[in-house]
Amino acid sequence: MERFIKLCVSVLPKSLQNVYYKYEEKWLYLVFGGLTTLISVVTKLLLFSLIPGEPAWESTAGVVFSWICAVTFAFFTNKKYVFKNETKTSGEFRKVFFAFYGARLATLAVEEVIFLVCCDWLNINKTLITFLSQVIIFIANYVLSKVFVFKKKNSEQGDE
């Protein structure tokens, strides 16, 4: 994957390569965050389409199912490619893993409230809310990952 990314960047004009490398983490988060969002949206809408009728639990089931799929994908791609987090021991790995899932649980709660209020109480279209809520979740997940989960030790922080 890293070779593929470098190959894609190498075909860009030098000025765009410089912009990419200057903001590499943010570009990679946009790419992998976009893929995570796609996984979240597709799995949620798939579940909505597979459940006949409009059961009251459908919104919750859709959000939770899509969350599990998306967060699992996001953890491994964010750890390896976006934040380049290396863990040397199983203890370090578990710490990062639980911090990541804990932060994502917080944004799951935010998304659940959005769906509860907008879909269940206000009767707003689930597809519309699915897409709008993703913008809020996308930004919140980056901030939580950057600040709390994959924070670099003082000696590793560059000029960011």
Side-chain angles (χ1 to χ4, degrees):
M1 178 58 84
E2 291 174 34
R3 286 186 200 157
F4 177 73
I5 293 168
K6 288 191 186 302
L7 177 64
C8 290
V9 173
S10 72
V11 299
L12 296 172
K14 193 68 170 168
S15 59
L16 290 179
Q17 287 180 32
N18 292 338
V19 170
Y20 170 80
Y21 285 115
K22 182 175 182 180
Y23 301 104
E24 182 177 33
E25 180 182 281
K26 289 158 188 70
W27 288 115
L28 289 171
Y29 187 79
L30 282 173
V31 169
F32 289 110
L35 291 172
T36 299
T37 300
L38 181 64
I39 289 168
S40 178
V41 169
V42 167
T43 55
K44 191 179 301 156
L45 295 177
L46 179 66
L47 188 72
F48 290 163
S49 70
L50 294 175
I51 298 173
E54 290 286 326
W57 54 268
E58 181 188 33
S59 293
T60 300
V63 168
V64 172
F65 176 70
S66 71
W67 182 86
I68 291 168
C69 296
V71 171
T72 301
F73 174 81
F75 173 72
F76 290 103
T77 57
N78 280 216
K79 184 178 184 323
K80 181 162 179 67
Y81 301 111
V82 177
F83 297 103
K84 296 177 173 57
N85 176 265
E86 293 189 25
T87 49
K88 295 179 177 32
T89 67
S90 59
E92 287 177 352
F93 180 85
R94 279 193 304 277
K95 182 179 177 184
V96 171
F97 179 86
F98 287 117
F100 187 85
Y101 275 80
R104 295 298 169 108
L105 273 171
T107 58
L108 172 64
V110 169
E111 186 172 18
E112 190 56 38
V113 167
I114 290 169
F115 269 81
L116 177 69
V117 170
C118 295
C119 297
D120 298 343
W121 295 352
L122 300 176
N123 229 5
I124 299 174
N125 181 280
K126 286 181 192 147
T127 303
L128 175 65
I129 297 306
T130 294
F131 287 100
L132 293 177
S133 69
Q134 288 306 305
V135 173
I136 296 165
I137 301 308
F138 190 86
I139 295 167
N141 283 334
Y142 177 79
V143 170
L144 290 171
S145 290
K146 178 79 174 164
V147 174
F148 297 110
V149 180
F150 298 113
K151 60 185 174 213
K152 296 187 188 314
K153 297 174 184 111
N154 288 336
S155 61
E156 295 176 9
Q157 289 179 339
D159 45 5
E160 276 192 69

